[in-house]
Amino acid sequence: MKLRKFVAILFCLLIGFNDRCSSQTLSQEGQVRKAAHDFLFESFAKDRQCKYVKNNTILSEITVLKKRIEADGQLSIELPEGAQRVAGMFRHLAIRGENLDRVGALKLLPYKPDSTLHHSIHKPDYYRVQIGALQLPKPDADRIVLKAITSGPVVVTEVIFSSQNKLPVQFDDLPFRNLGDEQPSVTVPVQIDITSELSVEGISDLQREKFFRYYAAPGGVHPSLEKWAYDRGFLPGRQISKMQYALVRGYSENQPKLTELENKKGYADLRFFDRYDAAPPVKQAFQPFREIDYAMCLDNWPDFMSIEHVGRGTPKVEYFDAAAELAGAFIADQVKDGGRTATWWEVKNESTIKSEWDYHWDDNSWNLLADFHNRVADQIHQRSPETKVGGPSSAWMQVQVNDFGLYRSQREFMDLTKAKLDFYSHHFYEDFATIGAWHRRDSTYTNYLLGRTEAILDMLQAHMYGSDNVKPVLITECGSLQPGRGPSDYWLRIRSFSAYMHKFLQRPHEIDLCVPFAFLNVPWSPRDGNAAFIPKKGKPNNGPIEGYDQTPVTHFFDLWREFDGRRLSVTHNRQWLDVTAVHQDSQIFVAMTNMSGQRLNVDLSGISNDNLRTMFQRRLYYRDGKIHFQDRIDLDELSDIEIEVEETTLVIIDLKNRLEIKNVIDRSFVYASETAVKADRSTEFEILIDSKTNIDSAELIIGVQKNGGLQSPLTGSLNSNRFQIVAEWAQDFQNLFAPLTVEIAPSQLKDKNVIRLDPMPGLTITSVHLQLDRNRTNQTP
C-alpha cells in the first residue's frame, strides 16, 4: 500500500499535478463510448433536426426518423442505420403522430425482445417511453426495430430521441478515467472509541432490517433468489401495485376483471373482490420473509375513474372518493384473502411530478394531492386500521427550485395531511453522468450525495418538529437513473446504492425504511441494469437461481453482508467521508464511504492492538474502467486503509474478547422551526432545550443554499457568543446546498437559544438545529 502511495505521489509531482494526470488513456469502455459520441455529432446528427439548450452545449432532442407510417393492429418501425449506436445516450424515445393512445406496449428489438418499454406519456399525438439499459454502442450492432400492437388505426410521423437536457456536445470523460490520481492520497485519522456506544435518540442498534433492503415485495421473485439475499442479510422492501394492469386488464386470461359500476360512473364494482383472490404473494415467499414488514404503493388507477392518457392513472377530482373506496376495498381484501397486507402503503407513486399526477402545476395541485391522500387514508384506515398510509412518494427532490417553491409545496402537503397520514416518503436518485461528483461541483453537479441529502432531510425534520407533526420518513427508492449495462453504468448504480444507504442508516431515529432500487431480478425487464441476476440464454425469468447469470449488482449485496451490531462513537474531520462503526460479539465492523475527489488513506490505528486477532478489508471500487470486488484483503495494520474516490469499503476486525463498553453517548437533536429563510438581511432563529444539564458537546448545524458557493465565512452568534464558519470547500460549488457545522461550548447553551446570522445576499438558510451529546456510564452488565 505504502509503495503504491509513494509512486502515485512521485508521478503527480513529476507532471505538476495536471488535472488530467491519470486520464491520458480512456478505459476500453470510454473509447467505445467516445467513438459513438463522435459518430453522433460528426455524422448522425448532420441533416437531422436537433434541439440544443444551454448555449448549444447540450443536445436535448434529435429527430431520428421523419416519415409517415400508417398501421392498424401491428405497428413496426425500423429506425435508420446508426440509431442503434446512439440510442443508449438518450433517456426517452418519443413518437409523434395521430391516435397514438391506441398504441400498446412498445418493444425495442433486438435489444429488449422479452420486455416492453416503460411509457411515461401516452396521448393521441405523443407517446413517450424510457429507453432504459442498452448494451455498449458498438459499430456493428443490429438496427433497432420498434414493434407494438395497436387497438385501431394509428399514424406515426416522427420518432425522436430525448436526453432530458442531459447530453453534452463535449464528450464527458470523467467516468472513464481514474479519479483522484491527479493528486496524492490524503491521510485521514478516524477515531473510533471502542469503549463507548453511540445512542441516536435512544437507538444504539444499527437496525439493519430498516436499511438493508432490495426492491421487491416478499414472494415477488423465486424463493431461491430470496434465499440468496437472505444469506447476505437483505430483505425485500417495496413494490408497486398497478391497479389498471393487475385488476382491470388482469395478468391472466382466466382472472376476473374489475369493471365500472353500471349505475355509478367512475366507481368500481366492488363485487369483483368476491371472485378475485387478492392475497399478496408474501405467503409464497421464502419462509423467513413471510412475516416481515414491507411497503407497497398504489398506482395506475383504473382508466374509468382517471384522466385520459396522462398522469399514469391520475383519478379525476370528481372520482377521488371512488378511488379511495377502491383502495380501501383492495387492501381489506388482501387481509381477508391472505391474512395480511403490507405494513406501509403509499397512496400514489412519485405523485410530486406531472407524469404521475396530472394536476401539476396548477395553483391548487398540491391541495388536491393532499386531499386525495387524506381520502385514501381514511378509507384504508377504516377498512384496515393497522395499515400505515403515507406519501407523497416524492420524485425529483430539487426542493430549491422556484426559490424554494417546491419545498413550500412539500411543506404545505405535510400540513394538510397532518391528521391523516402515518408517514412521509421520498425518493433520491443520482442523475446521469454523476461519476466524479466532486469534480463536477463547480459546474454541473446538482444531485444529493454532496450534502444535499442531509440538508433536505434536516429541512423536513425541522418543519415537522416546528408544526408538531413528527412522523417517520420512508425512502422507498434510491439509487441511480443511469441507463446502460456498461461498467461505468453499473458502477454509478452500485456506488449510489451504498452511498445513499450509508447516509440514511446514520439517521435511524428519522427513517423507518430505506429501499435501494436494486433488484434481484426484474420480472418485466429481464436484462435491466438494476438487476443482480439476468436469465441465461433460453432460461425463464421466474425460475430457480441456477438459471441466472450474476451481474455486478451482486457485489452491492456481498459488500454489506454481516455488517450489523451496536453503534460505536466515531469522530473525524474529513468532509464527504461517511463512517459508521458497529460491534457485535467479538467483531468490529467499520463502513466508510468516500465521496470526496481524493483517494484516502484512513488511519484507524487508534483502535487498541491488545485485543485484535485478525483484520481485513472488503473492497468494492472502480479503477481502469473496471469494477473491482475484493472480498478479503488481510491487513497487518490499521494505519493505512486505502479508499478510492467514491468507494464504499468495509473493515472487519476480529477480537480476542468482546468489547467492554464503559460509556454511552446519548445524541439528541433540537430544531428551530423556521425553514427556507432568506439571509439578505440579518436573520434570527430560536431553539428550545428541555434540559441543558449534562451536555458534554454540542454542534450547531446550519443548512445553506447559495448559487456560486460561499465566498466568505458565515458569521453570527448564539446567545450573543460570536462564531464564524470557514468552509473552504463551500467556495467551489456552483450549486451549494449542504449543512455547515460549528462546535459550540456547552456553557453557552440556555433553555432558550437565540441564533442570529449576519446578512449574506443570495443565501438561503434552509434549517438550523443543534446536535447535543451527553455521556453516561453504561449500566449494562
Side-chain angles (χ1 to χ4, degrees), residues 360-624:
H360 293 315
W361 298 102
D362 293 341
D363 290 341
N364 67 337
S365 173
W366 284 84
N367 298 76
L368 291 174
L369 187 62
D371 180 38
F372 182 61
H373 276 72
N374 287 338
R375 296 188 193 209
V376 172
D378 278 344
Q379 284 288 326
I380 294 175
H381 287 146
Q382 180 180 334
R383 302 288 299 275
S384 180
E386 300 302 316
T387 302
K388 299 173 184 176
V389 184
S393 181
S394 308
W396 201 64
M397 290 291 288
Q398 298 287 330
V399 297
Q400 80 286 353
V401 299
N402 297 326
D403 197 18
F404 283 88
L406 182 55
Y407 168 69
R408 287 190 293 273
S409 294
Q410 287 268 5
R411 188 171 64 187
E412 182 182 20
F413 176 86
M414 289 191 290
D415 293 341
L416 292 172
T417 58
K418 175 180 177 179
K420 305 290 186 179
L421 296 189
D422 303 302
F423 64 89
Y424 297 111
S425 61
H426 308 287
H427 297 172
F428 287 89
Y429 279 103
E430 289 296 281
D431 209 340
F432 304 96
T434 50
I435 291 176
W438 177 255
H439 294 74
R440 304 176 192 274
R441 69 196 184 281
D442 58 355
S443 56
T444 60
Y445 188 76
T446 60
N447 288 115
Y448 308 96
L449 289 176
L450 295 182
R452 190 171 295 201
T453 302
E454 293 91 330
I456 292 171
L457 292 176
D458 287 344
M459 292 180 78
L460 298 174
Q461 286 295 307
H463 182 67
M464 283 195 283
Y465 273 89
S467 58
D468 192 25
N469 184 29
V470 178
K471 291 194 169 89
V473 171
L474 273 61
I475 308 298
T476 48
E477 291 182 23
C478 62
S480 163
L481 297 172
Q482 183 86 353
R485 298 203 307 271
S488 65
D489 304 317
Y490 275 116
W491 173 243
L492 182 54
R493 294 186 192 100
I494 293 168
R495 72 84 149 137
S496 300
F497 295 154
S498 283
Y500 275 125
M501 190 176 73
H502 196 175
K503 288 186 181 298
F504 297 135
L505 66 84
Q506 295 179 73
R507 307 171 84 102
H509 60 298
E510 298 176 18
I511 294 175
D512 273 12
L513 186 71
C514 163
V515 187
F517 202 62
F519 291 74
L520 296 182
N521 74 314
V522 182
W524 57 91
S525 182
R527 286 166 177 78
D528 191 279
N530 293 292
F533 294 91
I534 59 176
K536 295 178 180 178
K537 188 174 182 179
K539 294 293 184 179
N541 195 34
N542 56 1
I545 195 169
E546 293 78 13
Y548 293 88
D549 290 321
Q550 295 190 17
T551 76
V553 175
T554 58
H555 298 324
F556 164 68
F557 293 84
D558 285 327
L559 174 70
W560 286 98
R561 72 182 193 276
E562 305 157 355
F563 184 80
D564 201 3
R566 295 178 66 81
R567 298 168 186 267
L568 292 170
S569 174
V570 177
T571 55
H572 66 87
N573 60 3
R574 178 67 183 180
Q575 192 72 29
W576 316 123
L577 174 66
D578 288 323
V579 184
T580 302
V582 295
H583 72 102
Q584 181 173 238
D585 299 326
S586 56
Q587 285 186 312
I588 297 173
F589 300 88
V590 184
M592 296 176 282
T593 299
N594 172 28
M595 283 304 298
S596 76
Q598 292 179 276
R599 292 172 294 118
L600 304 181
N601 291 87
V602 172
D603 183 357
L604 298 175
S605 60
I607 297 177
S608 170
N609 288 319
D610 297 341
N611 194 24
L612 305 187
R613 186 187 302 276
T614 60
M615 306 165 289
F616 68 93
Q617 183 182 9
R618 185 178 295 154
R619 300 194 66 184
L620 177 55
Y621 61 96
Y622 181 69
R623 173 162 278 272
D624 299 327

Side-chain angles (χ1 to χ4, degrees), residues 286-307:
F286 178 56
Q287 179 64 44
F289 290 171
R290 295 182 184 180
E291 303 299 328
I292 68 167
D293 294 329
Y294 67 100
M296 290 291 293
C297 180
L298 296 165
D299 206 14
N300 297 85
W301 298 81
D303 53 6
F304 57 76
M305 63 176 62
S306 298
I307 299 171

Side-chain angles (χ1 to χ4, degrees), residues 103-117:
V103 177
L106 193 68
K107 286 193 174 185
L108 188 148
L109 303 176
Y111 302 101
K112 296 193 172 186
D114 46 6
S115 62
T116 56
L117 302 182

Side-chain angles (χ1 to χ4, degrees), residues 37-147:
H37 187 276
D38 293 344
F39 167 74
L40 170 62
F41 288 98
E42 295 174 7
S43 177
F44 191 78
K46 286 186 176 180
D47 302 323
R48 282 190 166 86
Q49 182 178 339
C50 297
K51 179 181 177 182
Y52 293 89
V53 296
K54 298 183 180 178
N55 297 320
N56 293 324
T57 61
I58 301 292
L59 175 60
S60 173
E61 184 178 287
I62 181 171
T63 301
V64 178
L65 180 68
K66 198 175 184 68
K67 178 181 178 182
R68 184 178 178 87
I69 300 172
E70 298 181 7
D72 187 357
Q74 298 279 346
L75 175 64
S76 180
I77 308 171
E78 184 175 18
L79 298 188
E81 175 63 33
Q84 69 273 24
R85 289 191 66 186
V86 305
M89 302 181 208
F90 295 88
R91 175 70 171 169
H92 290 108
L93 180 151
I95 299 172
R96 287 197 173 100
E98 303 169 16
N99 299 320
L100 298 180
D101 53 318
R102 299 173 179 173
V103 177
L106 193 68
K107 286 193 174 185
L108 188 148
L109 303 176
Y111 302 101
K112 296 193 172 186
D114 46 6
S115 62
T116 56
L117 302 182
H118 183 60
H119 76 261
S120 57
I121 298 178
H122 196 182
K123 300 191 293 184
D125 61 343
Y126 190 72
Y127 179 106
R128 190 181 77 177
V129 294
Q130 294 180 11
I131 294 176
L134 296 181
Q135 298 169 344
L136 289 180
K138 297 181 180 178
D140 58 351
D142 294 327
R143 291 175 69 168
I144 290 175
V145 179
L146 306 174
K147 286 189 176 291

Side-chain angles (χ1 to χ4, degrees), residues 178-203:
N178 292 333
L179 299 174
D181 278 7
E182 66 274 8
Q183 301 178 67
S185 298
V186 177
T187 297
V188 178
V190 174
Q191 293 78 39
I192 299 176
D193 184 350
I194 60 174
T195 66
S196 297
E197 286 187 345
L198 175 64
S199 173
V200 183
E201 291 284 8
I203 301 171

